[in-house]
Amino acid sequence: MKPKTDRIESIDILRGLVMVIMALDHVRDYFNYGSFFIDPTDVETTTPILFFTRFITHYCAPVFVFLAGTSAFLYGRNKTKSQLSKFLLTRGIWLIFMEVVVNNLIWTFDLSYSFPILQVIWAIGFSMICLSFLIYLPYKWILVLGLIIIAGHNLLDGLVMQGNSPEAIVWYLLHQNHTMVLGPDKMILFHYPVIPWIGLMALGYCLGQLYLKDFDEKLRRTWLLRMGLGALALFFVIRGLNVYGDLVPWTVRDSSTKTIISFFNVTKYPPSLAFVLITIGPALLFLYVIENVKNSITDFFLIFGRVPFFYYFLHVFIIHTAAIIGIIIFGGNWKDMILTADVFMNETLVTYGYPLWITYMVWIGVVLALYPLCKKYMIYKINNKDKWWLSYL
């Protein structure tokens, strides 16, 4: 018998699903041939299966951030605004610390921190800090603000900074994906500019209203269906018009396959309006479909969805360690997998990697290895709700 919890299963199932898919992307990063220097979304060089492998993982970060906002709302149901604000503020600061200090270490194994990367944990942390103040606004204002940010931030695409000036660094943090070289063996990647992620978390927070205990289930599912279908329809309209909504317009190519890839090749860094629509739309439809579904498959994803922090850091460590073991087995230099700035500047791993089918096999192995660990930790968390520090892990 599973321990009892008041968590909403459909949300945890969706979170667990995207976390399992996320592992595929990260295994591809460490195992697929040329992954450190080849863009899997480059229309001219990618293949349909490689593009799909990357495209399907686009759902991970936006759904993760969106549901973090929803979870924040549900966490605050029985708390005062000040209590929820304090939790979001402290958790946001904690996540940024974990991103900079711990996550960068397990991603690179570089004790010198020569190539720090600000990724999704950073974006979630900063967005939580912002949400800790936004929750004092009326609910409708939060909703409108979130919609304005998501719909309007692509107006800022034309503002591009260069160099290492303070104002440029601020802009890289806010809205421009940029690798900043600080020296011959030092650089930093601003990979998750935060403006659109703040808007997405705010919208996720507003979604939480649909999951209040006294909210009619039929009405909730109706809203999920309408919003999901509406987001998808709007994606095809906006992307079809090809005027606004993404940093890179799609183009007609010399084959229908390349044209389709170009059409769906939306911008993630930072997430464009088109990117948000094509990812959050299906996520809402999934919540609509899965609400009353209960079987062994949903139970499998549920386990991962209830321990996201534990899963995230552990899966990166396991994948990186497995990559080192792989290099040793096949006679390579394991030190090449210590991902310093020099490794990227000198393209040390340009010829490294394995076929895509191996990537999928390793992905399945990693997920299965993580399952019993995540299940034990989930049960521990449920049985120790009195331990306040578990809410930060």
Side-chain angles (χ1 to χ4, degrees), residues 6-37:
D6 59 355
R7 292 177 66 99
I8 296 171
E9 289 199 353
S10 58
I11 292 176
D12 284 333
I13 291 168
L14 174 57
R15 184 185 290 111
L17 173 62
V18 297
M19 288 167 59
V20 168
I21 296 173
M22 175 179 63
L24 172 60
D25 192 42
H26 296 160
V27 171
R28 182 192 58 79
D29 284 334
Y30 284 97
F31 280 85
N32 191 215
Y33 179 79
S35 60
F36 287 99
F37 300 99

Coordinates of all heavy atoms in Angstrom, one line a residue, residues 6-37:
D6 N -1.7 14.2 0.1 CA -2.8 15.1 -0.5 C -2.3 15.7 -1.8 O -3.0 16.6 -2.3 CB -3.2 16.1 0.5 CG -2.0 17.0 0.9 OD1 -0.9 16.8 0.5 OD2 -2.3 18.0 1.7
R7 N -1.2 15.3 -2.4 CA -0.7 15.8 -3.6 C -1.7 15.4 -4.8 O -2.3 14.4 -4.7 CB 0.7 15.3 -3.9 CG 1.8 15.9 -3.0 CD 3.1 15.3 -3.3 NE 3.6 15.7 -4.6 CZ 4.5 16.7 -4.8 NH1 4.9 17.3 -3.8 NH2 4.9 17.0 -6.0
I8 N -1.7 16.2 -5.8 CA -2.6 16.0 -6.9 C -1.8 15.1 -7.9 O -0.8 15.5 -8.5 CB -3.0 17.3 -7.6 CG1 -3.8 18.1 -6.6 CG2 -3.8 17.1 -8.9 CD1 -4.1 19.5 -7.0
E9 N -2.4 13.9 -8.2 CA -1.6 12.9 -8.9 C -1.4 13.3 -10.4 O -0.3 13.0 -10.9 CB -2.3 11.6 -8.8 CG -2.3 10.9 -7.5 CD -2.6 9.4 -7.5 OE1 -3.0 8.9 -8.6 OE2 -2.4 8.8 -6.5
S10 N -2.4 13.9 -11.0 CA -2.2 14.2 -12.4 C -1.1 15.2 -12.7 O -0.3 15.1 -13.6 CB -3.5 14.8 -13.0 OG -3.9 16.0 -12.3
I11 N -0.9 16.1 -11.8 CA 0.3 17.1 -11.9 C 1.6 16.3 -11.7 O 2.5 16.6 -12.4 CB 0.1 18.2 -10.9 CG1 -1.1 19.1 -11.2 CG2 1.4 19.0 -10.8 CD1 -1.4 20.2 -10.2
D12 N 1.6 15.5 -10.7 CA 2.9 14.7 -10.5 C 3.2 13.7 -11.6 O 4.3 13.5 -11.9 CB 2.8 13.9 -9.1 CG 3.0 14.9 -7.9 OD1 3.6 15.9 -8.1 OD2 2.4 14.5 -6.9
I13 N 2.1 13.2 -12.2 CA 2.4 12.3 -13.3 C 2.9 13.0 -14.5 O 3.9 12.5 -15.2 CB 1.0 11.6 -13.7 CG1 0.6 10.6 -12.6 CG2 1.2 10.8 -15.1 CD1 -0.8 10.1 -12.8
L14 N 2.4 14.2 -14.8 CA 2.9 15.0 -15.9 C 4.4 15.4 -15.6 O 5.2 15.3 -16.5 CB 2.1 16.2 -16.1 CG 2.6 17.3 -17.1 CD1 2.8 16.6 -18.5 CD2 1.7 18.5 -17.2
R15 N 4.6 15.8 -14.4 CA 6.0 16.2 -14.0 C 6.9 15.0 -14.2 O 8.1 15.1 -14.7 CB 6.0 16.7 -12.6 CG 7.4 17.3 -12.2 CD 7.5 17.7 -10.7 NE 6.7 18.9 -10.5 CZ 5.6 18.9 -9.8 NH1 5.1 17.8 -9.3 NH2 5.0 20.1 -9.6
G16 N 6.5 13.9 -13.7 CA 7.3 12.7 -13.8 C 7.6 12.3 -15.3 O 8.7 11.9 -15.6
L17 N 6.6 12.4 -16.1 CA 6.8 12.1 -17.5 C 7.9 13.0 -18.2 O 8.8 12.5 -18.8 CB 5.5 12.3 -18.3 CG 5.5 12.1 -19.8 CD1 6.0 10.7 -20.2 CD2 4.1 12.4 -20.4
V18 N 7.8 14.3 -17.9 CA 8.7 15.2 -18.6 C 10.1 15.0 -18.0 O 11.1 15.2 -18.6 CB 8.3 16.7 -18.5 CG1 7.0 16.9 -19.2 CG2 8.2 17.2 -17.1
M19 N 10.2 14.6 -16.7 CA 11.5 14.3 -16.1 C 12.2 13.1 -16.7 O 13.4 13.1 -16.9 CB 11.4 14.2 -14.6 CG 11.1 15.5 -13.9 SD 10.5 15.3 -12.2 CE 11.9 14.5 -11.5
V20 N 11.4 12.1 -17.0 CA 11.9 10.9 -17.7 C 12.4 11.3 -19.1 O 13.5 10.9 -19.5 CB 10.8 9.8 -17.8 CG1 11.3 8.7 -18.7 CG2 10.6 9.2 -16.4
I21 N 11.6 12.1 -19.8 CA 12.0 12.6 -21.1 C 13.3 13.4 -21.0 O 14.2 13.4 -21.9 CB 10.9 13.3 -21.8 CG1 9.7 12.4 -22.0 CG2 11.3 13.9 -23.1 CD1 8.5 13.1 -22.5
M22 N 13.4 14.2 -19.9 CA 14.5 15.1 -19.7 C 15.8 14.3 -19.7 O 16.9 14.7 -20.2 CB 14.3 15.9 -18.4 CG 15.6 16.7 -18.0 SD 15.2 17.6 -16.5 CE 15.0 16.3 -15.3
A23 N 15.7 13.1 -19.1 CA 16.9 12.3 -19.0 C 17.4 11.9 -20.4 O 18.6 11.7 -20.6 CB 16.6 11.0 -18.1
L24 N 16.5 11.7 -21.3 CA 16.9 11.4 -22.7 C 17.8 12.5 -23.3 O 18.8 12.2 -23.9 CB 15.7 11.2 -23.6 CG 15.9 11.0 -25.1 CD1 16.8 9.8 -25.4 CD2 14.6 10.9 -25.8
D25 N 17.4 13.7 -23.0 CA 18.2 14.9 -23.6 C 19.5 14.9 -22.9 O 20.5 15.2 -23.6 CB 17.4 16.2 -23.3 CG 18.0 17.3 -24.0 OD1 18.4 17.2 -25.2 OD2 18.1 18.4 -23.5
H26 N 19.6 14.7 -21.6 CA 20.9 14.7 -21.0 C 21.8 13.6 -21.3 O 23.0 13.7 -21.3 CB 20.7 14.9 -19.5 CG 20.0 16.1 -19.1 ND1 19.3 16.3 -17.9 CD2 19.8 17.3 -19.8 CE1 18.8 17.5 -17.9 NE2 19.1 18.1 -19.0
V27 N 21.2 12.4 -21.5 CA 22.0 11.3 -22.0 C 22.6 11.6 -23.4 O 23.7 11.3 -23.7 CB 21.2 10.0 -22.0 CG1 22.0 8.9 -22.7 CG2 20.9 9.5 -20.6
R28 N 21.7 12.2 -24.2 CA 22.2 12.6 -25.6 C 23.4 13.6 -25.5 O 24.3 13.5 -26.2 CB 21.0 13.2 -26.3 CG 21.4 13.7 -27.8 CD 20.3 14.5 -28.4 NE 20.1 15.7 -27.6 CZ 20.9 16.8 -27.6 NH1 22.0 16.8 -28.4 NH2 20.6 17.8 -26.9
D29 N 23.3 14.5 -24.5 CA 24.4 15.4 -24.3 C 25.7 14.7 -24.1 O 26.7 15.2 -24.6 CB 24.1 16.4 -23.1 CG 23.0 17.4 -23.4 OD1 22.9 17.8 -24.6 OD2 22.3 17.9 -22.5
Y30 N 25.7 13.7 -23.3 CA 26.9 13.0 -22.9 C 27.3 11.8 -23.7 O 28.4 11.4 -23.6 CB 26.8 12.6 -21.4 CG 26.9 13.7 -20.4 CD1 25.8 14.3 -19.9 CD2 28.2 14.2 -20.0 CE1 25.9 15.3 -18.9 CE2 28.3 15.2 -19.1 CZ 27.1 15.8 -18.5 OH 27.3 16.8 -17.6
F31 N 26.4 11.3 -24.5 CA 26.7 10.1 -25.2 C 26.6 10.2 -26.8 O 27.3 9.5 -27.4 CB 25.8 9.0 -24.7 CG 26.2 8.3 -23.4 CD1 25.8 8.9 -22.2 CD2 27.0 7.2 -23.4 CE1 26.2 8.4 -21.0 CE2 27.4 6.6 -22.2 CZ 27.0 7.2 -21.0
N32 N 25.7 10.9 -27.3 CA 25.5 10.9 -28.7 C 26.7 11.5 -29.5 O 27.3 12.5 -29.0 CB 24.2 11.7 -29.1 CG 23.8 11.5 -30.5 OD1 23.3 12.4 -31.1 ND2 24.0 10.3 -31.1
Y33 N 27.0 11.0 -30.6 CA 28.2 11.4 -31.4 C 28.0 12.9 -31.8 O 27.1 13.3 -32.3 CB 28.3 10.6 -32.7 CG 29.5 11.0 -33.5 CD1 30.8 10.6 -33.2 CD2 29.3 11.9 -34.6 CE1 31.8 11.0 -34.0 CE2 30.3 12.3 -35.4 CZ 31.6 11.9 -35.1 OH 32.7 12.3 -35.9
G34 N 29.1 13.7 -31.4 CA 29.2 15.1 -31.8 C 28.3 16.0 -31.0 O 28.1 17.2 -31.3
S35 N 27.7 15.5 -29.9 CA 26.6 16.2 -29.2 C 27.2 17.5 -28.6 O 26.4 18.5 -28.4 CB 26.0 15.4 -28.1 OG 27.0 14.9 -27.2
F36 N 28.4 17.5 -28.3 CA 29.0 18.7 -27.6 C 29.2 19.9 -28.6 O 29.3 21.1 -28.1 CB 30.3 18.4 -26.9 CG 30.2 17.6 -25.7 CD1 30.4 16.2 -25.7 CD2 29.8 18.2 -24.5 CE1 30.3 15.4 -24.6 CE2 29.7 17.4 -23.3 CZ 29.9 16.0 -23.4
F37 N 29.2 19.6 -29.9 CA 29.4 20.7 -30.8 C 28.5 20.7 -32.0 O 28.5 21.6 -32.8 CB 30.9 20.6 -31.4 CG 31.9 20.7 -30.3 CD1 32.5 19.6 -29.7 CD2 32.3 21.9 -29.7 CE1 33.4 19.6 -28.7 CE2 33.2 22.0 -28.7 CZ 33.8 20.9 -28.2

